[in-house]
Amino acid sequence: VVYGDIGTSPLYAFREALRPFAADGVHENEVLGLISLMVWTLTIIVTFKYVLFLLRADNDGEGGTLSLLALLMKKTGNFTPVLFFAGIIGAALFIGDAMITPALSVMSALEGLKLVTPAFAGYVLPVSAAIMAGLFLVQSKGTAAVSKLFGPITTVWFLVMAWGGLIHIGDDWTILKALNPINALWFISHAGFAGLIVLGAVFLTVTGAEALYADLGHFGRKPIQVAWFILVFPALALNYLGQGAFVLANPQAIENPFYLMYPEWALLPVVILATMATIIASQAVITGAFSLARQAVHLGFLPRLAIKFTSETNTGQIYVPAVNLLLFIGVIVLIFSFGDSESLATAYGISVTGAMVVTTLMSFQFLRSIWGW
């Protein structure tokens, strides 16, 4: 569940990053630079910053921006205005993320149906809305019940992504040069203004990292770390490398490299699996939003809300009906006002980047005042 969000990024991240270069054709150094940026962004931001480091900065088992704020308050005894506003802005951006993720992920998965047959084009929005209604209805069953259903599906999804990448890495072995970070640095220094736009799309590869930290109270540190190193990180790296090699060998595939990588017989099953995976991606941010709301109530930022405990043994597993309803309304408004995943991707980048900047500033202060670095 925690990695559902980051696990759906390959559906659209590479496609969006390639878009600024599509007009004059894609060149080898652009593809190598982009894939290098994506792999190293995953390594530095998710592996080092979140999985190995920030998961240790918990407040009685809870994670997220407001946990950092609570820890800093315990140390200093009060809010400094800067930290106070940083905490509030970070929380607000995460709630924005929790609305955009379900809308963007499910729409981008269902848009794969257009590749199966163009007749599906008119059904993407209503089907997206129907799926969202179902997802928000099952929240009251609790994290554990939802995870029993969603966990195995996500595992299959990561294995299918790894397989898709593996069968195409051999299309052009030069893609392995992307593992050298020099390519990422060369790309950024030579891309000019387009590089800035591309960096926003590269950020889409790490969109689930904030949810990973906010979900700490639901799942605990150890399972999150083990899953990342054994399954999630290798599958993502293989898929991005495979997409890069595939585009180098078939430049016309930049229209939708993720889906076009799979053989024709596998396309419909992969679209169905992707849709299921995107529903689970939405779950990661929804459970994070519940944790955030409870922390906000404890800190006095929100009025008291009805909070239902859904586990007899784990106090981190909760359901907040008011937050569930607000998120649902927000998601439906986004789906019908933006209309497609491409339009929504930019707004997504802003909310994710903003939330990460706030977390970085607060973790810097945490290192200084709590750990004494």
Coordinates of all heavy atoms in Angstrom, one line a residue, residues 48-92:
F48 N 18.0 7.4 0.2 CA 18.8 8.0 1.3 C 18.0 8.9 2.2 O 18.0 8.7 3.4 CB 20.0 8.7 0.7 CG 21.1 7.8 0.2 CD1 21.4 7.9 -1.2 CD2 21.7 6.9 1.0 CE1 22.3 7.0 -1.7 CE2 22.7 6.1 0.4 CZ 23.0 6.1 -0.9
K49 N 17.2 9.8 1.6 CA 16.5 10.8 2.4 C 15.4 10.2 3.2 O 15.3 10.4 4.4 CB 16.1 11.9 1.5 CG 15.3 13.0 2.3 CD 14.8 14.1 1.3 CE 13.8 15.0 2.0 NZ 13.2 15.9 1.1
Y50 N 14.5 9.5 2.5 CA 13.3 9.0 3.2 C 13.5 7.6 3.8 O 13.2 7.5 5.0 CB 12.1 9.0 2.2 CG 11.5 10.3 1.9 CD1 12.0 11.1 0.9 CD2 10.5 10.9 2.8 CE1 11.5 12.4 0.7 CE2 10.0 12.1 2.6 CZ 10.5 12.9 1.5 OH 10.0 14.2 1.3
V51 N 13.9 6.6 3.0 CA 13.9 5.2 3.6 C 14.9 5.0 4.7 O 14.6 4.4 5.7 CB 14.0 4.2 2.4 CG1 14.2 2.8 3.0 CG2 12.9 4.3 1.5
L52 N 16.1 5.6 4.4 CA 17.2 5.3 5.4 C 17.2 6.4 6.5 O 17.6 6.1 7.7 CB 18.5 5.3 4.7 CG 18.8 4.1 3.8 CD1 20.1 4.2 3.1 CD2 18.7 2.7 4.6
F53 N 16.8 7.6 6.2 CA 17.0 8.7 7.2 C 15.7 9.1 7.8 O 15.5 9.0 9.0 CB 17.7 9.8 6.5 CG 17.8 11.1 7.3 CD1 18.5 11.1 8.5 CD2 17.1 12.2 7.0 CE1 18.6 12.2 9.3 CE2 17.1 13.3 7.8 CZ 17.8 13.3 8.9
L54 N 14.8 9.7 7.0 CA 13.6 10.3 7.7 C 12.7 9.4 8.4 O 12.0 9.8 9.3 CB 12.8 11.1 6.6 CG 13.2 12.5 6.4 CD1 12.4 13.2 5.3 CD2 13.0 13.4 7.7
L55 N 12.7 8.1 8.0 CA 11.8 7.1 8.7 C 12.3 7.0 10.2 O 11.5 6.5 11.0 CB 11.8 5.8 8.1 CG 11.1 5.6 6.7 CD1 11.1 4.2 6.2 CD2 9.6 6.1 6.8
R56 N 13.5 7.4 10.5 CA 14.0 7.4 11.9 C 13.5 8.6 12.7 O 13.5 8.6 13.9 CB 15.5 7.4 12.0 CG 16.1 6.1 11.3 CD 17.6 6.1 11.3 NE 18.0 5.0 10.6 CZ 18.1 3.7 11.1 NH1 17.7 3.5 12.3 NH2 18.5 2.7 10.3
A57 N 13.0 9.7 12.0 CA 12.5 10.9 12.6 C 11.0 10.7 12.9 O 10.2 11.4 12.2 CB 12.8 12.1 11.8
D58 N 10.6 9.8 13.8 CA 9.2 9.6 14.1 C 8.8 10.2 15.4 O 9.6 10.3 16.4 CB 8.9 8.1 14.0 CG 9.5 7.4 15.1 OD1 10.8 7.3 15.2 OD2 8.8 6.8 16.0
N59 N 7.5 10.5 15.5 CA 7.0 11.0 16.8 C 6.1 10.0 17.4 O 4.9 9.9 17.0 CB 6.2 12.4 16.5 CG 5.6 12.9 17.8 OD1 6.2 12.8 18.9 ND2 4.5 13.6 17.7
D60 N 6.6 9.1 18.3 CA 5.8 8.0 18.9 C 5.3 7.1 17.8 O 4.1 6.7 17.8 CB 4.7 8.5 19.8 CG 5.3 9.3 21.0 OD1 6.4 9.0 21.4 OD2 4.6 10.3 21.4
G61 N 6.1 6.9 16.7 CA 5.7 5.9 15.7 C 5.0 6.6 14.5 O 4.8 6.0 13.5
E62 N 4.6 7.9 14.6 CA 3.9 8.6 13.6 C 4.9 9.4 12.7 O 6.0 9.9 13.2 CB 2.9 9.6 14.1 CG 1.7 9.0 14.8 CD 0.7 8.4 13.8 OE1 0.9 8.7 12.6 OE2 -0.3 7.8 14.2
G63 N 4.7 9.5 11.4 CA 5.6 10.2 10.5 C 4.9 11.4 9.8 O 3.7 11.6 10.1
G64 N 5.6 12.1 9.0 CA 5.0 13.2 8.2 C 5.4 14.5 8.8 O 6.1 14.7 9.8
T65 N 5.0 15.6 8.0 CA 5.4 17.0 8.3 C 5.1 17.4 9.7 O 5.8 18.0 10.5 CB 4.8 17.9 7.3 OG1 4.8 17.4 6.0 CG2 5.4 19.3 7.3
L66 N 3.8 17.0 10.1 CA 3.3 17.5 11.4 C 4.0 16.7 12.6 O 4.1 17.2 13.7 CB 1.8 17.3 11.5 CG 1.0 18.3 10.6 CD1 -0.5 18.1 10.8 CD2 1.4 19.7 10.8
S67 N 4.5 15.5 12.3 CA 5.3 14.8 13.3 C 6.6 15.5 13.6 O 7.0 15.7 14.7 CB 5.6 13.4 12.8 OG 4.5 12.6 12.8
L68 N 7.2 16.0 12.5 CA 8.5 16.7 12.7 C 8.2 18.0 13.5 O 9.0 18.4 14.3 CB 9.0 17.1 11.3 CG 9.9 16.1 10.5 CD1 10.2 16.6 9.1 CD2 11.1 15.7 11.3
L69 N 7.1 18.7 13.1 CA 6.7 19.9 13.8 C 6.5 19.6 15.3 O 7.0 20.3 16.2 CB 5.4 20.5 13.2 CG 5.0 21.8 13.8 CD1 6.1 22.9 13.6 CD2 3.7 22.3 13.1
A70 N 5.8 18.5 15.7 CA 5.5 18.1 17.1 C 6.8 17.8 17.8 O 7.0 18.3 18.9 CB 4.6 16.9 17.1
L71 N 7.8 17.2 17.1 CA 9.0 16.9 17.8 C 9.8 18.1 18.1 O 10.4 18.3 19.1 CB 9.9 16.0 16.8 CG 9.5 14.5 16.7 CD1 10.2 13.8 15.5 CD2 9.8 13.7 18.0
L72 N 9.8 19.1 17.1 CA 10.5 20.3 17.3 C 9.9 21.2 18.4 O 10.5 21.8 19.2 CB 10.5 21.1 16.0 CG 11.4 20.5 14.9 CD1 11.1 21.2 13.6 CD2 12.9 20.6 15.2
M73 N 8.5 21.1 18.5 CA 7.8 21.8 19.6 C 8.2 21.2 21.0 O 8.4 22.0 21.9 CB 6.3 21.6 19.4 CG 5.7 22.6 18.4 SD 4.0 22.2 18.2 CE 3.3 22.3 19.9
K74 N 8.3 19.9 21.0 CA 8.6 19.3 22.3 C 10.0 19.8 22.8 O 10.2 20.0 24.0 CB 8.7 17.7 22.2 CG 7.4 17.0 22.1 CD 7.6 15.5 22.0 CE 6.3 14.8 21.7 NZ 6.6 13.4 21.4
K75 N 10.9 20.0 21.8 CA 12.3 20.4 22.2 C 12.3 21.9 22.6 O 12.9 22.2 23.6 CB 13.2 20.2 20.9 CG 14.6 20.5 21.2 CD 15.3 19.5 22.1 CE 16.8 19.8 22.3 NZ 17.4 18.9 23.2
T76 N 11.6 22.7 21.8 CA 11.7 24.2 22.0 C 10.6 24.7 22.9 O 10.7 25.8 23.4 CB 11.7 24.9 20.7 OG1 10.5 24.5 20.0 CG2 12.9 24.6 19.8
G77 N 9.6 23.9 23.1 CA 8.5 24.3 24.0 C 7.4 25.2 23.4 O 6.4 25.4 23.9
N78 N 7.7 25.7 22.2 CA 6.7 26.5 21.5 C 7.0 26.6 20.0 O 8.1 26.1 19.5 CB 6.7 28.0 22.0 CG 8.0 28.7 21.9 OD1 9.0 28.0 21.4 ND2 8.1 29.9 22.3
F79 N 6.1 27.2 19.2 CA 6.4 27.3 17.8 C 7.2 28.5 17.5 O 7.0 29.6 18.1 CB 5.0 27.6 17.0 CG 4.0 26.5 17.1 CD1 2.9 26.7 17.8 CD2 4.2 25.3 16.5 CE1 1.9 25.7 17.9 CE2 3.3 24.3 16.6 CZ 2.1 24.5 17.3
T80 N 8.2 28.4 16.7 CA 8.8 29.6 16.1 C 7.8 29.9 14.9 O 7.4 28.9 14.2 CB 10.2 29.5 15.6 OG1 10.3 28.4 14.6 CG2 11.1 29.1 16.8
P81 N 7.5 31.1 14.6 CA 6.6 31.4 13.5 C 6.9 30.7 12.2 O 6.1 30.2 11.5 CB 6.6 32.9 13.3 CG 7.0 33.4 14.7 CD 7.9 32.3 15.3
V82 N 8.2 30.6 11.9 CA 8.7 30.0 10.6 C 8.3 28.6 10.6 O 7.8 28.1 9.6 CB 10.2 30.2 10.4 CG1 10.7 29.5 9.1 CG2 10.5 31.7 10.3
L83 N 8.6 27.8 11.6 CA 8.3 26.4 11.7 C 6.8 26.2 11.7 O 6.4 25.2 11.0 CB 8.9 25.8 13.0 CG 10.4 25.6 13.0 CD1 10.9 25.0 14.3 CD2 10.8 24.6 11.9
F84 N 6.1 27.0 12.4 CA 4.7 26.9 12.4 C 4.1 26.9 11.0 O 3.3 26.0 10.6 CB 4.1 28.0 13.3 CG 2.6 28.0 13.3 CD1 1.8 27.1 14.0 CD2 1.9 29.0 12.5 CE1 0.4 27.2 14.0 CE2 0.5 29.1 12.5 CZ -0.2 28.2 13.2
F85 N 4.4 28.0 10.3 CA 3.9 28.1 8.9 C 4.4 27.1 8.0 O 3.7 26.6 7.1 CB 4.2 29.5 8.4 CG 3.3 30.6 9.0 CD1 3.8 31.5 9.8 CD2 1.9 30.6 8.7 CE1 2.9 32.5 10.4 CE2 1.0 31.5 9.2 CZ 1.5 32.5 10.1
A86 N 5.7 26.7 8.2 CA 6.2 25.6 7.3 C 5.4 24.3 7.5 O 5.0 23.6 6.6 CB 7.7 25.3 7.7
G87 N 5.1 24.0 8.8 CA 4.3 22.8 9.1 C 2.9 22.8 8.5 O 2.5 21.9 7.9
I88 N 2.3 24.0 8.6 CA 0.9 24.1 8.0 C 1.0 24.0 6.5 O 0.1 23.4 5.9 CB 0.3 25.5 8.5 CG1 0.1 25.6 10.0 CG2 -1.0 25.8 7.7 CD1 -0.9 24.7 10.5
I89 N 1.9 24.7 5.9 CA 2.0 24.7 4.4 C 2.3 23.3 3.9 O 1.7 22.8 3.0 CB 3.1 25.7 3.9 CG1 2.6 27.1 4.1 CG2 3.4 25.5 2.4 CD1 3.7 28.2 4.0
G90 N 3.3 22.6 4.6 CA 3.6 21.2 4.3 C 2.4 20.3 4.3 O 2.1 19.5 3.5
A91 N 1.6 20.4 5.4 CA 0.4 19.6 5.6 C -0.6 19.9 4.5 O -1.2 19.0 3.9 CB -0.2 19.9 7.0
A92 N -0.8 21.2 4.2 CA -1.7 21.6 3.1 C -1.4 21.0 1.8 O -2.2 20.5 1.0 CB -1.8 23.1 3.1

